[in-house]
Amino acid sequence: MQQLPLDGVKVVDLTNVLAGPYCSYQLMLFGAEVVKVELPGAGDLARRLGPDPELNRERMGASFLAQNAGKKSVELDLKSPAGRAAFESMVAGADVLLENYRAGVLTRLGYGWERLRELNPGLVYCAISGFGQDGPMSGAPAYDQIIQGLSGMMSVTGTPDTAPLRVGFPICDTVGGLMAALAVSAALAGRHRSGQGCFLDLSMLEASISAMGWTVSNYLVSGVEPEPMGDQNATAAPSGTFETADGPLNIAANQQAQFETLCRLVGRPDLAADPRFAERESRKTHRAALNRELNQALRAKTALEWEELLAREGVPAARILTVPQALKLDQVRHRGFVTQVPFAGTDDRQVTVTGNGVMVNGVALRPRGPAPSLGEHNDEFEAVS
């Protein structure tokens, strides 16, 4: 087994459901040992979430299986003397502590940053919350849907007729988890130089606004308030979804040379010379007219035919796939992105999970074991219920 960047790093993970577990899943893929600390008899709420009722009854719901492979599970009651003693022992030997309680909950349990630092001066403590550990909204509850709405994300998703719309997956939880994994990795690198741990206070709201990129910066820098544009890209034209003989096709001819190549390949070189479309800014102004001309020309071939032809000539273009179709792409399979791990406690059941798109020295990152059953590793850590 190859050496991974976080081999030897020990993570105590108090998180549940999505943002926190997604963070610790990334750390695990990079080699960290992750120990989930779960409520005795109940565990992570995600154990009961997913489309398969039988898995939910087994407390191995699909939502849990998706991002907890390769971790260990112990049951601890942080309100009992024995549970607190076991937790303190774990923290003393850990490199990272993750939690995604509401702001202040761990402090009220007696484990604020000052106490944690006493237990382990080198600890990297990351608290993931909806709004951060202080401020007027810090105590409010927050799920992905709430953050999507408050961040402005829903206001720019959809068309002028359909917005606001929720993004079709829990993007704010995902972004929060990714930012937390980045922050933890940076803190570990800093500790390597200073020997000191640190407290990372991550706001999912702020991380989500940051991830919106030019949608936010266009307003901050230029005062342009973003609007929902459906499948069109506000920064360029033609850039969006177009019609073909058998279905939709995404095209992003964002550069002048790409636009001219596109016009030639669809048999409409005249469009590149048309004063309405000749320059980048004029194409944005006359976007609707340009899209009509291109849609008419693109109906001559199928989406796959155009994808292959345009991509070969350097024009970014691709079909719009379903999730099952995306997972079956030869490119995805070639890189080993999807893998199978055993179902906890069995030899004949397998669970299919994803990596994270990163290869280390040419090898795709994969879980080193199954998602754990609740309390599976209690004995290893003298955990108690």
Side-chain angles (χ1 to χ4, degrees):
M1 188 175 293
Q2 71 164 335
Q3 183 81 11
L4 293 174
L6 295 182
D7 277 347
V9 171
K10 296 181 179 180
V11 179
V12 175
D13 181 7
L14 297 174
T15 68
N16 80 108
V17 184
L18 187 49
Y22 189 73
C23 167
S24 59
Y25 187 65
Q26 306 310 309
L27 300 177
M28 179 279 303
L29 287 172
F30 279 104
E33 178 189 65
V34 177
V35 182
K36 285 184 67 70
V37 175
E38 303 189 68
L39 187 65
D44 189 335
L45 175 61
R47 289 183 177 276
R48 301 182 294 283
L49 299 179
D52 187 328
E54 181 57 34
L55 287 176
N56 295 342
R57 282 191 290 271
E58 294 182 58
R59 293 182 180 169
M60 297 295 282
S63 297
F64 179 81
L65 294 172
Q67 59 215 350
N68 287 286
K71 303 178 186 178
K72 297 180 178 181
S73 169
V74 302
E75 296 171 282
L76 286 183
D77 180 359
L78 295 184
K79 295 181 179 179
S80 75
R84 293 170 68 85
F87 174 68
E88 291 180 10
S89 176
M90 293 172 68
V91 168
D95 297 289
V96 179
L97 174 66
L98 292 176
E99 54 104 338
N100 63 347
Y101 299 129
R102 284 198 209 180
V105 167
L106 200 59
T107 297
R108 289 195 291 274
L109 288 170
Y111 295 109
W113 173 229
E114 292 304 320
R115 175 57 179 150
L116 292 170
R117 189 161 51 182
E118 289 177 1
L119 293 169
N120 183 347
L123 184 70
V124 172
Y125 166 35
C126 181
I128 304 169
S129 62
F131 308 106
Q133 297 297 303
D134 59 6
M137 296 181 70
S138 60
Y143 284 117
D144 177 88
Q145 180 100 16
I146 304 305
I147 302 300
Q148 284 201 35
L150 284 171
S151 66
M153 193 176 292
M154 289 176 65
S155 75
V156 296
T157 302
T159 67
D161 294 329
T162 62
L165 282 179
R166 176 186 178 275
V167 177
F169 68 99
I171 187 171
C172 296
D173 276 325
T174 303
V175 165
L178 286 174
M179 184 59 71
L182 172 62
V184 166
S185 299
L188 289 171
R191 190 188 67 174
H192 180 71
R193 295 190 302 272
S194 69
Q196 296 297 308
C198 64
F199 174 35
L200 304 170
D201 171 6
L202 188 137
S203 159
M204 286 172 54
L205 175 62
E206 294 166 28
S208 297
I209 295 173
S210 173
M212 291 167 67
W214 59 261
T215 304
V216 173
S217 63
N218 282 358
Y219 173 70
L220 290 176
V221 176
S222 303
V224 177
E225 187 168 345
E227 299 177 348
M229 294 186 63
D231 55 25
Q232 297 295 300
N233 179 356
T235 66
S239 188
T241 304
F242 297 84
E243 301 169 10
T244 72
D246 68 344
L249 177 76
N250 275 331
I251 298 175
N254 296 351
Q255 300 177 20
Q256 184 68 25
Q258 292 169 344
F259 171 61
E260 293 173 1
T261 301
L262 172 65
C263 294
R264 172 175 58 83
L265 293 175
V266 301
R268 293 295 308 274
D270 57 297
L271 294 177
D274 189 313
R276 296 173 298 171
F277 314 136
E279 297 181 352
R280 182 185 183 90
E281 291 304 315
S282 62
R283 287 196 293 276
K284 289 163 58 178
T285 301
H286 299 283
R287 180 191 302 273
L290 176 57
N291 287 355
R292 284 194 295 271
E293 299 289 348
L294 287 173
N295 280 330
Q296 184 175 1
L298 287 163
R299 293 190 189 105
K301 297 181 185 294
T302 68
L304 180 58
E305 288 173 328
W306 283 121
E307 176 183 320
E308 294 173 345
L309 174 60
L310 294 172
R312 186 165 59 244
E313 295 289 333
V315 179
R319 296 155 291 157
I320 297 175
L321 303 180
T322 65
V323 171
Q325 288 171 333
L327 291 171
K328 292 176 183 176
L329 282 170
D330 290 341
Q331 177 66 25
V332 173
R333 292 185 172 187
H334 171 78
R335 287 176 53 87
F337 173 69
V338 176
T339 189
Q340 288 191 320
V341 296
F343 192 93
T346 67
D347 296 323
D348 56 347
R349 297 173 70 181
Q350 296 284 315
V351 176
T352 304
V353 297
T354 67
N356 61 2
V358 177
M359 285 187 164
V360 175
N361 297 324
V363 179
L365 297 179
R366 298 185 172 107
R368 297 185 180 185
S373 57
L374 180 60
E376 182 177 339
H377 302 90
N378 284 352
D379 292 343
E380 290 185 30
F381 297 90
E382 298 182 358
V384 296
S385 59

